[in-house]
Amino acid sequence: MASVNDVVIKIATVNGTGSASANSLLRKSIFRMGVPVVGKNYFPSNIQGLPTWYEIRVTGDGYHSRSNRVDVMVAMNAQTYEHDMADVKPGGWLIYDSTWPRNRQLNRDDITVIGIPLSKMCNEHFDGARARILMKNIAYVGAVAALLDIDLDIITTLLEETFAAKKHLVQSNMEAIRLGYDYAREHFACPLPMRVEKMDATAGHIIIDGNTAAGLGCVYAGATVGAWYPITPSTSLMDAFRTFCSQYRVDPETGKRTYCIIQAEDELAAIGMVLGANWNGARSFTPTSGPGISLMSEFIGLAYYAEIPAVIFNVQRTGPSTGMPTRTQQCDLLSCAYASHGDTKHVLLFPADPGECFYMAPQAFDLSERLQTPVMVLSDLDIGMNDWMIPELEWDENYVPDRGKVYSAEELEKMDNFYRYLDVDGDGIPYRTLPGVHPKGAYFTRGSGHTKLGAYTENSDDYQEVIDRLLVKWETARGMVPEAEIRYSKMNKAALLTLGSGDGACREALDRLAKQNVGLNYCRVKAFPFTDAVRDFIDKHEVVYVVEQNRDAQLRTLLINDIDADQNKLVSLLHYNGMPINSGFVVDKVLDEIAKGRAA
Amino acid sequence: MSYIAKPKITHPGLNKNELGLTTRDYEGAVSTLCAGCGHDSVTAAIIQAVFELNVEPHMLAKMSGIGCSSKTPAYFASQSHGFNSVHGRMPSVTTGANAANRDLTYIGVSGDGDSLSIGVGQFVHAIRRNLNMCYIIENNGVYGLTKGQFSASADIGSLPKKGLPNQQEPIDPVSTALSLGATYIARSFSGDKEQLVPLIKGALLHSGFSLVDVISPCVTFNDHEGSTKSYAHTREFYNHVINVDYIHPSEEIKAAYAEGEAMPIHLRGGDTIVLRKLSREYDPTSRASSFKYLRDRFNAGEITTGLLYVNEEREEMHELMGNVDTPLAHLPYEELSPGKEELHKLQSRYR
Ligand SMILES: Cc1ncc(C[n+]2csc(CCOP(=O)(O)OP(=O)(O)O)c2C)c(N)n1
Ligand code: SF4
Ligand SMILES: [Mg+2]
């Protein structure tokens, strides 16, 4: 099992023991060696004491998804030792803390077990219970560094950067690393046949999670009002917004803020605040997850019908109900697309990685204000909370927010009458006015039946005229949302179609299938409603494998509903166990279908 | 079908305010509520208050939830933006609106069902934030719009038109607001315009959360004998403790009131109101004594009205947060974006 820059390291620890910084040190040091990495955190819905895992996939080929294998297991948690050992791929390695004898019953002949007395060494070397636990975690970084040939100088530099203000910590951390490093080198043949080697594939890249990127995107979009109610896995989005705002949105002279974050009493209030703020001309958003969307539904319907902009980030987690709050899924496509009672449908954006979380933030605000309707960005736990390598974020200095059709005081002054819901331009989007601008702009915003003039109505024709005009707007939206990413060759009769975080696994699967002479085309949708290109793409194929992370084939349902896609062509490949999808799943499922006689 | 624009006829004899507007300019569509509904009298009082305060119509935002009461913003100030939101959620919409533009005057009109039943959560949290708004509850003890079921403000023993008396404890918005730290708390009666208009004016001028709980009888479902929210019951047990006068900044305060009876209150916005106490025992600046007094009078079956508590010290939401004075919605994009260079710089931490 010799390989260079193609290894999966999984670290099993206990929640709340400070392993997170050790793991990120390991991940960062490989990245700094110029080698692409993927970092995934599998954590419990718990603050302290339950098992947690961190998986680092070293991928010289630069793939983005998780790999469904473990080459090197760092088994630091006795509680999960048996399970962790079973996880290792035949021919792989298991590192454990040999301070305490392990259960000899649990053994495997097909892997190499490496014992390092981490606790013993740290107990001898450091004082204090807390320091010893922390240092034990740092020490395994040293052992892994020796075994995989990770550059110690890079680790030192990283520690110096992290503890720039606390020099003594650099030294103690380095001592712990050396304990693990030296022990491994003395007792085992280092490096292992699977190792890391410097390359030059990470220049111009960063490692970031989607929630941080989305929070930053909101700052760049010019959002000023954020309202939220905490819920995993979306909480860190508002945390990021707050952090960036405290850096960029505080007047240095007066110390006053140009942003307002309101922790609402619940999600009903959070979305109500977002509507109030957008109605009043501020860019306002709320991050949430599935349960929050359920609570927000009534207001989302109001925003659709009264035509009020609103940006909602739904960082999806495993449902239904409370489900598995710290696991990922794409299970809210339908509940978001049709949120609220009555005939409603909403514009959705599907970022595939943190980079798109950043860029889709201003895009969501632009679309929402242009279309005067809620726009939901459907990220998920995998994108939102895991560490992704992406090209460095760029900003177009010429960006001007699209505030949509809003009459100014001057325009209103010249008009005889303003009517809120008139389709002046024929694109289904009326003009709006903001409070505080001009008395002629006044109108009554309501969720009850209204005419195109904005008046209350119970008249069937007047009601229907407005509700039909909203369909014209829907078609306008179709032409405005981001285009799907399409790879097409006439040679192929079948294709993969996916969205969001399915992208990495699908693209890797395409490479792997190609090596087995299975050629597939590819379409990744980036938005709902679906563009004409998506319709054409499906038309051109005999079979389209729809890859998504939910049980009920929600994307497939949307394709059938929205663009009347031929359901006989759409074959679902569904991954919904809560773990991020991997390429092996897609490859196996496609090969199964081909074996059953399906076109490739 | 209730939105009927009124023909605008200028009556040469109508008084004009400092903006040159008449009360007609502050009117709205013709009401579609039942004839005699208390809510229409509240509408009239609001019109009088904003007219007398010279409120620029476009600087007023009218907010509401759902219910007969929540319809009333359609019936006044047609030159002001209105937002008829969803049932029980007016406070959150107003919170967001105010967060975006702190320069507007916010008047929220709600019902007892809207604020104390379905919306009690949002009601109490708006108070906790000391949201700068005037919050009027048109309190009739029932859900008018859904035909007369008891609301959370129904008193124990109050009789419905048909069926058994209410057995559950009422939620009193005044003492709730008092315990949550609202900074301007008044109660009044739709049938007492003389008292109500100055209370609304004070509420509009006050910086922070002002509650005006108005007993506003529902003639159709809760005005019968045995109802504790009827016109007759309210009149009979009315205890008027404090009057309030608004003093225009140009008028100097006359020290004509006898000591212990008059109390000028300087509002944070620079205006002054004068409280005239009709009951010597009452101290409207003390939460503890207000609480006790209200409770005692309630137990005696009385409905205490007037400006019941005022606190001009506490800062409102924006001040508490330390936000800029300019409305956030007015900040130019250049002031909000950190720019290209900075984006490049900050990413060093992600390498
Ligand atoms: C979510 C929701 N549930 C129920 C209703 C039905 N509904 C409309 S108004 C109302 C009660 C209004 O009572 P109140 O706020 O006291 O106003 P009033 O009509 O008495 O003035 C109810 C239950 C609704 N509109 N929305
Ligand atoms: S039902 Fe009651 S509250 Fe509603 S309009 Fe009629 S009198 Fe007023
Ligand atoms: Mg009521």
Side-chain angles (χ1 to χ4, degrees), chain A residues 234-286:
Chain A
S234 72
T235 302
S236 54
L237 199 162
M238 195 54 102
D239 288 344
F241 183 71
R242 187 190 305 277
T243 306
F244 291 122
C245 280
S246 59
Q247 190 176 350
Y248 299 118
R249 294 283 194 79
V250 178
D251 187 316
E253 275 162 37
T254 61
K256 289 189 175 178
R257 302 170 174 185
T258 58
Y259 67 97
C260 177
I261 297 173
I262 309 174
Q263 187 180 316
E265 52 272 31
D266 53 33
E267 287 88 347
L268 284 82
I271 186 69
M273 290 169 191
V274 169
L275 295 196
N278 277 293
W279 175 77
N280 234 348
R283 285 195 153 184
S284 173
F285 70 99
T286 183

Side-chain angles (χ1 to χ4, degrees), chain B residues 39 69 111-114 138-145 151 153 216 218:
Chain B
H39 302 350
S69 37
D112 42 317
D114 199 58
E138 296 178 346
N139 191 343
N140 54 16
V142 288
Y143 300 164
L145 197 59
S151 78
S153 76
S216 175
C218 169

Side-chain angles (χ1 to χ4, degrees), chain A residues 32 206-207 220 247-249 256-257 263 265 268-269 273 280 392-393 395 433 436 441-443 445 456, chain B residues 1 58 81-82 84 89 96-97 106 122 129 322 324-325 333 336 339 342-344 346-347 349-351:
Chain A
R32 287 275 180 102
I206 57 166
I207 292 194
Y220 274 82
Q247 190 176 350
Y248 299 118
R249 294 283 194 79
K256 289 189 175 178
R257 302 170 174 185
Q263 187 180 316
E265 52 272 31
L268 284 82
M273 290 169 191
N280 234 348
E392 182 176 314
L393 301 170
W395 189 247
T433 56
Y443 70 97
T445 305
Y456 179 87
Chain B
M1 282 185 306
H58 69 287
H81 273 73
N84 187 208
R89 319 293 172 204
Y106 294 90
Q122 298 214 342
R129 292 187 183 97
V324 289
D325 299 336
Y333 177 68
L336 301 173
E342 193 53 46
L343 183 62
H344 178 68
L346 86 94
Q347 288 178 82
R349 69 178 89 142
Y350 304 117
R351 267 187 278 267

Side-chain angles (χ1 to χ4, degrees), chain B residues 33-34 37 39 68 140 144 218-221:
Chain B
L33 303 181
C34 305
C37 173
H39 302 350
C68 296
N140 54 16
C218 169
V219 289
T220 307
F221 298 111

